[in-house]
Amino acid sequence: MYDGGGRVMAYDIPEGSLQQSIFMDKYAFPGETKWKQLAKRVSKAIALPEKDEVREQIEKKFFEAINSADFCPGGRILFGAGRNKYNMLNCYVLDPEDSVESIGKTISDMYKISCAGGGVGFNFSKIRPKGDDIQNIKWSAPGSISVMKMINEIGEHVRAGKNRRTALMSILEVSHPDFLEFLEVKLDRKELTNFNISVAINNRFIEAVENDEEWYFTFGGRHNKYFMYIVDRTNAEGEVDQVRVVAKDEEDAIGRADQNHKSGWSDTFSNAVKAPLKAKEIWERLLDNAVESGEPGVFNVDFANEYTNVSYFEEMPATNPCGEITLPAYGNCCLGHVNLANMVDMDGNIDYRRLARTIRVGVRFLDNVLTANTFPIKECEEVGLRSRRIGLGVTGLHYFLIKAGFKYGSEACLEFLERLFATIRNEAYKASMYLAREKGSFENYDFSKLKNEKFMKTIPARIRADIKKNGLRNAVMLTVAPTGTISMVLGVSTGLEPIFAPVYKRTWKTTTPGVFNENVVIDPLFKEMYLRGRDLSHCVGAYDVTPEEHMKVQSVVQAHIDSAVSKTCNLPNNYNSEQLYDDLLSQAHDLKGVTFYRAGSRGHEPLQIIDHTTIDVDALITDGKVEELASSIDNCVDGVCEL
């Protein structure tokens, strides 16, 4: 159902469509076949924490927002709301310490969280490096990557919530002695298959890259330095090659090599030579690998912990598996998305009142989820309730921009995004402030400390004054998730990403080996605008946007987001990673995280762009063979983040 301007008033999933297949497979309760039925069930369940006298009214507001698809809760909420004692939160973070007890508990906690349908992010930087001593046993530590592999193996055997595979994020700091091995590990496609991986950089590393300084690694204190050594390895036939070892000195390098780099039992090692390593070399190798394989991503751990509201009571070592939420140990992400595509009509008229109303409903809804949720372990509940962190994000941004007449990444687009996301930020903080006046502030609220937080200082003075008077219900409340699966159900573009292309070819395997089916896909919004005779010059795809434009869009949005932003920088197949070295360095201080995806870097490409300016679009639309599917590539390139 639409209003006079073409905006959705009540959403209905098309019968027999791919959207309905996804809906039925991932989110529907037994007996549910319509979006309206889901909206009723979810609204009723999440309104239960409200007081009796307002519950019916609040439930109606929730229903109206979800039924119209103005607001869409995260996938775990859609699936879990109304189920008995169910975890409705998408993701958590664990931060293992360097002890048998901590590693064992981390593995146990990860298993419980994964079985409850939650993805898990980890920072393994506290685990002693490979080849360190354990008590008096020299060079015996298996290292951080060994722990990652143990957890990855458990992930192979976990399925939860309609066969959803486990989603994991592995983060290691650039200063950790295992870093060089970590940097290469996923070039082997058979390793850490359940993990996305990211490198945690910091301000000191960025400075070292900018100044072309030598880099050393450290563990257990800044004076405990490790350097790279080249060690000669001699086999039984007297043949000599060399291995690379990160060690404290020459003797240590030879010992580590002997322990971990034997190709045969009689190999001997000698002549360890220190090999100076520049921070710039590491930076370039990191980006070379990211362009080559789509990983690692980059996580600026210093910026994440500085540009926030919670540095006075918690540290955030990691993100969730798709990178949109920075979290403390046992922290959670409680996700929901404002559908921006519904906030503008086909003539480009933006409904700011509808946007503000949806944000208010979204904040209250997600806060109620925290109250209604059954957490997988006690520590997750304690951490979740001390800050009442929520993740209100957006989906359909590119559809919004196309309708409003902006070319993704253009200067006019960036200026508009500044205003749009400032509005989203302000409305969310006002909503949380009003909620605090009604229900109380988050447990660790202390305005005398909160007012000095870097992100809080970006909030307009008039709103900060109201927060001082009334409190704040949620310490952190904003994010941008990838929304890949949900956006397909809603028939809109994903979170922050541009559409893949206005027109493209999709191929998929048949049951006959080596034989593929194929079909042409036309983006539904592009088709509608084409049929209306609209200007399409600003309707671009992910690979029409330059890497610099991708990063600028993310940087502009991140300035107004108190958590993080999930964003992929799309690169053409022939892209030279050298072009990224300086471009990303210039943006690194303003991005909490970024991921790259080069076309073809993961093997067979199921989507192939068709240049719509060189084909007969009328024939495509009328020949009955065209498929309609909103699409993009998000930063969960392995498909593990079904948000």
Side-chain angles (χ1 to χ4, degrees), residues 355-485:
L355 175 62
R357 182 172 66 247
T358 304
I359 291 169
R360 290 195 297 270
V361 170
V363 169
R364 189 177 195 113
F365 180 97
L366 294 176
D367 185 74
N368 275 12
V369 170
L370 292 175
T371 303
N373 188 60
T374 298
F375 290 83
I377 54 179
K378 182 180 179 181
E379 293 93 334
C380 291
E381 181 174 15
E382 291 171 350
V383 173
L385 297 182
R386 79 181 180 200
S387 64
R388 301 199 70 85
R389 177 185 273 100
I390 60 174
L392 182 69
V394 300
T395 193
L397 174 69
H398 195 204
Y399 269 23
F400 180 97
L401 294 173
I402 291 172
K403 288 182 181 181
F406 293 102
K407 182 180 179 181
Y408 191 100
S410 67
E411 189 62 30
C413 168
L414 298 175
E415 291 176 358
F416 174 74
L417 290 177
E418 287 273 11
R419 300 193 298 274
L420 174 65
F421 278 87
T423 299
I424 292 172
R425 175 201 62 197
N426 294 349
E427 292 297 335
Y429 271 73
K430 287 192 291 184
S432 187
M433 178 269 296
Y434 290 132
L435 206 54
R437 187 171 64 185
E438 178 184 343
K439 297 184 176 184
S441 297
F442 63 91
E443 184 179 307
N444 280 36
Y445 172 80
D446 182 342
F447 188 78
S448 67
K449 298 175 180 177
L450 178 65
K451 69 179 181 181
N452 296 318
E453 294 285 340
K454 281 192 175 182
F455 190 85
M456 181 55 63
K457 290 180 179 179
T458 71
I459 305 299
R462 70 184 190 282
I463 300 176
R464 291 203 309 271
D466 287 341
I467 291 172
K468 180 180 180 180
K469 178 180 178 182
N470 298 302
L472 196 65
R473 181 67 170 170
N474 315 96
V476 179
M477 62 198 79
L478 296 167
T479 183
V480 181
T483 71
T485 312

Side-chain angles (χ1 to χ4, degrees), residues 340-351:
L340 291 176
N342 275 15
M343 304 301 152
V344 58
D345 65 20
M346 291 300 296
D347 295 319
N349 300 308
I350 300 169
D351 191 340

Side-chain angles (χ1 to χ4, degrees), residues 169-427:
M169 168 67 84
S170 177
I171 292 175
L172 194 71
E173 292 178 6
V174 70
S175 58
H176 194 281
D178 286 342
F179 174 76
L180 294 179
E181 182 183 357
F182 178 74
L183 196 56
E184 308 292 332
V185 66
K186 286 205 74 175
L187 292 179
D188 182 344
R189 302 288 171 80
K190 297 178 182 179
E191 292 286 2
L192 300 184
T193 52
N194 292 293
F195 275 103
N196 291 328
I197 70 169
S198 281
V199 171
I201 64 172
N202 52 39
N203 294 335
R204 180 68 193 93
F205 177 72
I206 296 172
E207 180 184 341
V209 175
E210 292 171 336
N211 296 332
D212 198 24
E213 297 177 21
E214 185 176 348
W215 189 250
Y216 62 85
F217 305 97
T218 186
F219 183 80
R222 57 184 294 189
H223 300 296
N224 194 6
K225 297 180 181 179
Y226 298 66
F227 298 90
M228 190 172 78
Y229 288 84
I230 303 298
V231 183
D232 290 341
R233 177 173 58 186
T234 305
N235 64 20
E237 287 74 37
E239 298 169 330
V240 179
D241 63 358
Q242 295 179 322
V243 294
R244 185 181 66 182
V245 179
V246 174
K248 300 174 184 177
D249 53 38
E250 292 86 348
E251 180 186 1
D252 187 43
I254 292 172
R256 288 172 189 263
D258 185 64
Q259 185 72 22
N260 298 304
H261 292 277
K262 281 190 173 182
S263 57
W265 69 271
S266 62
D267 287 358
T268 59
F269 297 86
S270 61
N271 194 35
V273 177
K274 183 179 175 182
L277 188 62
K278 293 290 189 72
K280 191 173 183 180
E281 293 177 58
I282 295 174
W283 178 249
E284 292 173 357
R285 191 180 304 174
L286 188 166
L287 293 181
D288 288 345
N289 286 10
V291 172
E292 174 66 24
S293 67
E295 293 188 87
V298 179
F299 172 50
N300 188 335
V301 66
D302 279 355
F303 183 49
N305 281 277
E306 292 165 358
Y307 197 64
T308 181
N309 290 331
V310 295
S311 70
Y312 70 90
F313 67 90
E314 62 186 20
E315 179 185 0
M316 296 175 289
T319 74
N320 70 319
C322 277
E324 74 270 16
I325 298 278
T326 54
L327 293 170
Y330 295 105
N332 66 77
C333 54
C334 177
L335 297 175
H337 322 287
V338 175
N339 182 4
L340 291 176
N342 275 15
M343 304 301 152
V344 58
D345 65 20
M346 291 300 296
D347 295 319
N349 300 308
I350 300 169
D351 191 340
Y352 282 104
R353 292 182 63 186
R354 186 172 184 171
L355 175 62
R357 182 172 66 247
T358 304
I359 291 169
R360 290 195 297 270
V361 170
V363 169
R364 189 177 195 113
F365 180 97
L366 294 176
D367 185 74
N368 275 12
V369 170
L370 292 175
T371 303
N373 188 60
T374 298
F375 290 83
I377 54 179
K378 182 180 179 181
E379 293 93 334
C380 291
E381 181 174 15
E382 291 171 350
V383 173
L385 297 182
R386 79 181 180 200
S387 64
R388 301 199 70 85
R389 177 185 273 100
I390 60 174
L392 182 69
V394 300
T395 193
L397 174 69
H398 195 204
Y399 269 23
F400 180 97
L401 294 173
I402 291 172
K403 288 182 181 181
F406 293 102
K407 182 180 179 181
Y408 191 100
S410 67
E411 189 62 30
C413 168
L414 298 175
E415 291 176 358
F416 174 74
L417 290 177
E418 287 273 11
R419 300 193 298 274
L420 174 65
F421 278 87
T423 299
I424 292 172
R425 175 201 62 197
N426 294 349
E427 292 297 335

